[in-house]
Amino acid sequence: EEKASLQSARVDLGNAGGTLREAIASQSEGWVRRVDDLERARKLADQDRTKLMTECADLQARLDGMTSELSAIQDLEGRHRQQTSDRRRLADESSRLREVNGALGVL
């Protein structure tokens, strides 16, 4: 009976060992899948980072191009203001000179 009990315990230990090996193998497979998923996620993040850096560089180049264009527009607006002021001044002077000429013509 003791021998049968020991053999039963041995079979139970063998089954427990097999179950433990299966659990470890299953857990290991889970970790391998997790590592693979993390590796794919890292590669995707690297690709996204590269894409964003390229897009940022392109946008910076566009901004740099616009800066010179905006500077030229500001210069044009300044010239326009100056010419508008000059036109008004000349129109006022022309009106004044017409009045003076009209007054001199009456004399």
Side-chain angles (χ1 to χ4, degrees), residues 28-66:
S28 293
E29 288 175 14
W31 286 112
V32 167
R33 280 192 300 274
R34 177 73 176 140
V35 168
D36 286 343
D37 292 345
L38 289 172
E39 186 176 339
R40 274 188 247 111
R42 192 190 102 246
K43 285 180 182 179
L44 184 60
D46 288 345
Q47 290 170 349
D48 288 347
R49 185 180 343 9
T50 301
K51 182 179 176 182
L52 287 172
M53 293 296 288
T54 301
E55 190 174 336
C56 285
D58 292 345
L59 290 173
Q60 184 64 48
R62 283 181 56 197
L63 180 62
D64 291 344
M66 287 179 179

Side-chain angles (χ1 to χ4, degrees), residues 18-34:
T19 303
L20 184 59
R21 281 189 293 278
E22 287 177 22
I24 291 172
S26 175
Q27 189 178 34
S28 293
E29 288 175 14
W31 286 112
V32 167
R33 280 192 300 274
R34 177 73 176 140

